[in-house]
Amino acid sequence: MMRILHLPMTYAPVRGGGEWHCQKVSEGLHARGHDVQVVTGNVAFPTMYNGYHIKKAGVPREMIGGVDVIRLPYGNYFTRFLPQLKKWPIPGRGALRKRARRGIGEEFEANMERSIDDFQPDVVMAMAHTQWNVQVAVKIRERRKFPLVIVPLIHEGSPSCFGDLMRSILKRADAIVANTPFEKDLIAEEFGIPEERVFTGLLGVDAPETVEQYERGKTVLYFGRKDPLKGIDLLIKAMHHVLPKHPDARLVIAGARWPGSVTIDEWIAEQPQHVRAAIDSPYDVSSAERTRLLSSARCLVLPSEEQSFGLVLIEAWAHETPIITLDKNVFRCIVD
């Protein structure tokens, strides 16, 4: 039995492909007899590590699927007032914001190091990108010398996934797990990491034993994080071409609420009435409704320009639903 510590940027109940993947791996390792602990921040969105508008998620500590989940506080009582400093005509406000941000990070780092000391893991896995939780894990490793595995989830097309910070993090990892052969090659070629330290993990879903049969109307489905970076604007624009030929077609944009979701709502509201009427945009749907949508759509479309895998593609296939993606390197590893 091993003591395995996972340090994801966020964890259930926060929804997302990385969060789902980390949860399935954590619970799977627990089922195999390993002692697994998850330590993450209490933020509702990964992007909140970069700002001051902190929304909390979950409780400080709970058991989920047999896994001990600890959520460290990120931000404090004064965090909510920091954005107002932009409006206050006081001297030194920039320095005050910078010091407050540094203090938040130092507290998070101290709590994470304490959690690692308490658990005494045999191996630590940190994900993803260059988020603060990964940076902190790398810093602590220099002092504690535990084996460190990084799952970078490099998004093709995302500037934030490249640069000196990512290179520094990957070079200090003992092992790196890529989602696809493309990502593995990218890590070796772009960042100069020896191939023997990079492994391809791939992803999968639990296929249902039986697929419920629904009548498949003319529904185009997007399912995932409601983020403008996912190319949802392309789907909305495409409806202007589809509806003249298929007036009964519908576009369903379903998924988790995200800080940029208000932009998508605005895009829909700006459309002509006949296009607005053909678009449904439900948030945070139930598992039963997710199954119904995936099983009844004519096709699922993932038009994302920035993607590390696209787990919903596999999920759609599990429900016998055809998929459409952009012609990107990462998707070529999944879709013929």
Side-chain angles (χ1 to χ4, degrees):
M1 182 185 77
M2 294 182 64
R3 296 174 67 81
I4 302 169
L5 180 63
H6 286 168
L7 306 176
M9 47 190 176
T10 47
Y11 197 77
V14 179
R15 297 183 180 183
E19 290 80 3
W20 185 91
H21 181 48
C22 185
Q23 182 178 1
K24 296 297 288 186
V25 170
S26 298
E27 294 178 2
L29 290 170
H30 165 74
R32 294 188 179 197
H34 298 291
D35 188 2
V36 183
Q37 187 177 85
V38 169
V39 175
T40 186
N42 66 344
V43 298
F45 306 104
T47 52
M48 289 182 175
Y49 287 114
N50 303 322
Y52 301 111
H53 296 278
I54 307 299
K55 180 181 177 182
K56 296 182 179 180
V59 297
R61 190 164 191 169
E62 64 179 323
M63 298 294 291
I64 301 178
V67 176
D68 184 18
V69 180
I70 299 173
R71 295 183 183 86
L72 304 177
Y74 190 82
N76 50 43
Y77 178 79
F78 298 101
T79 303
R80 71 185 70 178
F81 299 109
L82 291 176
Q84 302 301 320
L85 287 178
K86 291 182 178 179
K87 306 175 184 178
W88 295 347
I90 60 175
R93 59 183 179 180
L96 180 59
R97 282 168 58 89
K98 186 175 181 180
R99 177 67 189 111
R101 176 74 180 276
R102 187 166 62 247
I104 292 170
E106 290 171 352
E107 180 184 7
F108 185 80
E109 180 177 339
N111 287 330
M112 181 181 285
E113 187 162 7
R114 192 175 302 113
S115 297
I116 292 172
D117 288 342
D118 290 343
F119 188 61
Q120 291 293 302
D122 296 311
V123 63
V124 174
M125 181 281 289
M127 63 188 304
H129 305 336
T130 54
Q131 291 286 7
W132 183 241
N133 66 308
V134 178
Q135 296 180 50
V136 167
V138 171
K139 290 175 65 177
I140 296 173
R141 178 188 174 274
E142 296 301 308
R143 301 190 290 267
R144 292 293 184 264
K145 303 302 180 183
F146 48 76
L148 177 63
V149 178
I150 298 289
V151 182
L153 303 184
I154 294 178
H155 284 52
E156 181 184 7
S158 173
S160 65
C161 290
F162 299 87
D164 292 339
L165 180 56
M166 176 66 90
R167 179 174 286 102
S168 174
I169 287 173
L170 295 181
K171 282 186 176 296
R172 287 192 277 178
D174 295 291
I176 300 164
V177 179
N179 278 341
T180 63
F182 163 71
E183 186 181 8
K184 179 180 179 180
D185 292 342
L186 182 69
I187 291 170
E189 296 169 6
E190 182 74 20
F191 300 102
I193 306 300
E195 290 188 8
E196 61 269 19
R197 285 169 51 200
V198 187
F199 303 85
T200 305
L202 300 178
L203 282 79
V205 300
D206 296 323
E209 293 185 5
T210 58
V211 177
E212 293 189 52
Q213 298 300 319
Y214 291 91
E215 182 179 351
R216 294 185 185 269
K218 293 183 180 181
T219 299
V220 176
L221 175 65
Y222 167 88
F223 209 115
R225 197 172 73 205
K226 289 197 176 183
D227 188 328
L229 294 176
K230 293 294 185 178
I232 296 172
D233 59 322
L234 297 177
L235 279 176
I236 295 174
K237 293 174 183 177
M239 292 302 289
H240 289 260
H241 301 278
V242 171
L243 289 171
K245 297 181 179 179
H246 303 278
D248 54 342
R250 299 199 62 79
L251 171 62
V252 177
I253 305 169
R257 193 178 300 274
W258 209 250
S261 295
V262 62
T263 301
I264 295 169
D265 294 337
E266 292 171 352
W267 287 342
I268 297 172
E270 293 169 355
Q271 303 306 309
Q273 194 280 331
H274 75 287
V275 176
R276 288 201 312 272
I279 300 176
D280 295 326
S281 184
Y283 282 101
D284 301 321
V285 302
S286 66
S287 296
E289 179 64 4
R290 182 187 186 100
T291 297
R292 188 192 69 78
L293 288 171
L294 287 168
S295 300
S296 60
R298 180 65 63 89
C299 63
L300 177 134
V301 184
L302 182 56
S304 177
E305 290 280 359
E306 298 183 8
Q307 200 71 41
S308 67
F309 188 84
L311 194 61
V312 71
L313 302 177
I314 310 299
E315 192 172 8
W317 277 336
H319 290 82
E320 300 179 359
T321 298
I323 63 174
I324 300 173
T325 67
L326 298 184
D327 188 10
K328 308 286 288 183
N329 288 311
V330 62
F331 294 139
R332 292 191 195 110
C333 294
I334 306 166
V335 186
D336 288 335

